[in-house]
Amino acid sequence: MSKALEGVRILDMTHVQSGPTCTQLLAWLGADVIKLERPGTGDATRSQLRDIPDVDSLYFTMLNHNKRSITLNTKHETGKRVLDRLVEACDVLVENFAPGALERMGLTWEHIQELNPRMILASVKGFGPGPYEDCKVYENVAQCAGGAASTTGFLDGPPLVTGAQIGDSGTGLHLALGIVAALFQRERTGRGQKVLAPMQDGVLNLCRVKLRDQQRLERGPLKEYSQYGRGIPFGDATPRAGNDSGGGQPGWILKCKGWETDPNAYVYFITQAAVWGKICDLIGKPEWKEDPGYATPDARLDKLMHIFETIEEWTKTKTKFEVMEICNPLGIPVGPVLSMKELAEEPSLRATGTVVEVDHPERGPYLTVGCPIKLSDSPVEVKRSPLLGEHTDEILSQVLGLSESEIAEIKASGALGEVG
Ligand code: COA
């Protein structure tokens, strides 16, 4: 079966997490992704957080599936010429260098357009144009600068970063969408364009509802925040909301059977208005159905914590999976807090290819997260990440059409040797 992005060739000059997640996604959708790496070391993540000596780390392998790897010193004169040829041969150049690094390699937008007017130049940067545009940025910096940290955590604690990599992988997703849109527009215009996904902007986009609340706050307290029911006054900025739901249906994380010893024996429980009566019956509080203090969503707002404490008395008598089994048929929205161990072992995720076992020649089998987007006519086969420079000769001959003697000349020039 064909793939959605078949025929699209990507020059992948990304490293660490944000850029690689974008190009991995495009590779899964069928693009030919050529990862260009620094000779000798390659992407820094190859050697970061290693669990097996001298073997590509899981950090690298899990972010670089279905790609080919070429090594090239892009600061070497001959290396620059090879880089220019690759720009001519590809449809998209994706990069997430620190600001200015691509230009210092000679790849200004003007030069790229001269070489290939159809080229799409896609970049992740920490910040867009403005006071911080020259700054280097990593995941947690973006979470802080994009509004996630100030709105995450408990009211009486410090700002918190989340485990979900919304700054890196989230921005990678945004960039991938921009690239696909630019490819689509190129079909009509014949021209490439620049696509920029700043990490701060991507995080803020994912924190959209918190900017919603910032504006609502100017018109009065945020009544669905449990802070309101506890009588704690609001300040002038969207507060940290603990485990409040963030939507119009109140929710909270509740203890389940075994919580004393199992750190993940919890469920998220939503008191959706439509099923309030069923919740009351379930937890042994049928009188709350008619009680004016509890019968309507508005009446309940100032007692949310008391309501959740009462529901918790019930959830503590059940495992999180029993809570699911009992609540789902009643239409009560609940979700178990699943550990990484439980997710790794979950058969349904294995069956859909969202959790996949991949074999690697140096590390052996390992688990990874496969493509989370399912296209019915573009199936994904997750292939292991490339070894450093594994496809250098193949790309020089097959993509650039160079002869054996031309490849030998490039090697002799030192352009494939370690960067000084
Ligand atoms: N040949 C020769 N030189 C190469 C090369 C190659 N194949 N590949 C990279 N280099 C050089 C670059 O040209 C640059 O040199 P320069 O500073 O002299 O111009 C150097 O390697 C380092 O690149 P840089 O991007 O600055 O890496 P860093 O390790 O200093 O910073 C980040 C890492 C992630 C902080 C930075 O790249 C960044 O802010 N990126 C944008 C935001 C981002 O994506 N952050 C999230 C990462 S998950």
Side-chain angles (χ1 to χ4, degrees):
M1 202 182 267
S2 69
K3 299 282 167 69
L5 294 182
E6 214 166 82
V8 174
R9 183 168 282 153
I10 299 196
L11 180 54
D12 178 8
M13 296 182 75
T14 68
H15 64 160
V16 202
Q17 186 184 161
S18 64
T21 55
C22 166
T23 50
Q24 174 171 262
L25 206 51
L26 300 173
W28 282 335
L29 297 179
D32 175 16
V33 175
I34 297 172
K35 185 169 175 101
L36 191 153
E37 294 178 82
R38 199 184 168 106
T41 48
D43 186 328
T45 59
R46 284 190 186 265
S47 57
Q48 280 174 0
L49 312 179
R50 270 188 175 147
D51 56 328
I52 305 174
D54 303 325
V55 170
D56 284 338
S57 69
L58 286 165
Y59 195 4
F60 178 84
T61 56
M62 292 179 70
L63 291 166
N64 289 285
H65 295 104
N66 296 57
K67 303 180 184 178
R68 301 196 275 174
S69 166
I70 177 175
T71 49
L72 187 70
N73 180 350
T74 55
K75 289 183 172 165
H76 187 282
E77 270 321 302
T78 307
K80 280 187 179 170
R81 282 204 292 278
V82 176
L83 182 58
D84 281 358
R85 295 284 310 272
L86 283 166
V87 170
E88 285 165 355
C90 291
D91 299 281
V92 186
L93 192 168
V94 191
E95 62 94 20
N96 67 313
F97 290 122
L102 191 71
E103 288 79 2
R104 287 194 289 277
M105 286 177 188
L107 287 184
T108 60
W109 175 231
E110 292 69 31
H111 184 54
I112 291 170
Q113 280 183 302
E114 269 165 32
L115 294 170
N116 180 357
R118 288 172 59 81
M119 171 60 81
I120 290 157
L121 170 60
S123 305
V124 169
K125 293 291 166 254
F127 293 92
Y132 305 121
E133 63 187 319
D134 292 329
C135 298
K136 287 183 177 176
V137 169
Y138 282 105
E139 170 70 46
N140 289 345
V141 176
Q143 287 200 25
C144 291
S150 71
T151 53
T152 303
F154 288 94
L155 204 51
D156 52 2
L160 273 189
V161 294
T162 70
Q165 304 286 283
I166 56 177
D168 280 338
S169 292
T171 306
L173 273 167
H174 284 105
L175 190 70
L177 179 60
I179 291 170
V180 173
L183 283 166
F184 188 65
Q185 190 172 7
R186 193 181 73 172
E187 289 297 303
R188 295 196 305 277
T189 64
R191 283 199 319 276
Q193 61 181 298
K194 286 190 282 184
V195 179
L196 173 66
M199 295 168 75
Q200 181 186 39
D201 305 38
V203 172
L204 180 57
N205 181 38
L206 298 175
C207 291
R208 180 171 292 268
V209 299
K210 300 296 179 181
L211 185 57
R212 172 201 68 191
D213 293 348
Q214 179 62 42
Q215 294 170 88
R216 291 173 60 229
L217 195 53
E218 287 163 20
R219 301 204 168 79
L222 304 168
K223 292 186 177 171
E224 80 284 9
Y225 280 54
S226 47
Q227 167 177 352
Y228 171 73
R230 285 184 280 159
I232 303 170
F234 285 81
D236 62 357
T238 307
R240 293 191 261 293
N243 288 318
D244 287 334
S245 80
Q249 307 289 347
W252 197 258
I253 287 186
L254 306 180
K255 291 170 182 159
C256 291
K257 198 179 195 171
W259 66 272
E260 298 91 338
T261 52
D262 177 356
N264 295 304
Y266 289 84
V267 280
Y268 199 91
F269 197 107
I270 297 180
T271 54
Q272 192 201 15
V275 287
W276 175 245
K278 289 178 182 173
I279 295 170
C280 295
D281 288 337
L282 188 68
I283 62 169
K285 286 281 179 192
E287 64 274 21
W288 278 1
K289 288 190 282 188
E290 308 301 331
D291 184 334
Y294 290 87
T296 64
D298 274 356
R300 294 193 284 272
L301 285 175
D302 61 356
K303 325 176 180 62
L304 286 180
M305 279 300 109
H306 171 63
I307 290 171
F308 284 120
E309 278 159 18
T310 310
I311 299 172
E312 193 171 60
E313 288 309 309
W314 177 77
T315 57
K316 271 164 47 181
T317 67
K318 309 272 179 272
T319 69
K320 60 190 176 188
F321 298 111
E322 286 167 348
V323 172
M324 284 286 283
E325 272 163 36
I326 296 167
C327 289
N328 278 330
L330 298 173
I332 303 170
V334 290
V337 171
L338 294 178
S339 68
M340 275 300 140
K341 184 171 186 297
E342 287 165 328
L343 287 163
E345 292 164 359
E346 172 58 44
S348 64
L349 293 174
R350 298 285 185 110
T352 56
T354 295
V355 175
V356 197
E357 189 171 288
V358 182
D359 206 8
H360 187 276
E362 293 180 342
R363 73 161 39 252
Y366 66 94
L367 275 192
T368 194
V369 183
C371 185
I373 305 166
K374 319 293 183 191
L375 275 71
S376 61
D377 271 6
S378 184
V380 174
E381 185 198 343
V382 180
K383 295 187 191 146
R384 71 164 173 89
S385 58
L387 302 174
L388 181 61
E390 184 177 346
H391 306 97
T392 300
D393 284 21
E394 178 184 301
I395 289 161
L396 292 176
S397 67
Q398 192 197 80
V399 177
L400 299 188
L402 299 181
S403 65
E404 275 184 26
S405 62
E406 285 170 316
I407 295 173
E409 237 172 79
I410 291 169
K411 285 182 179 166
S413 77
L416 307 187
E418 290 209 21
V419 182

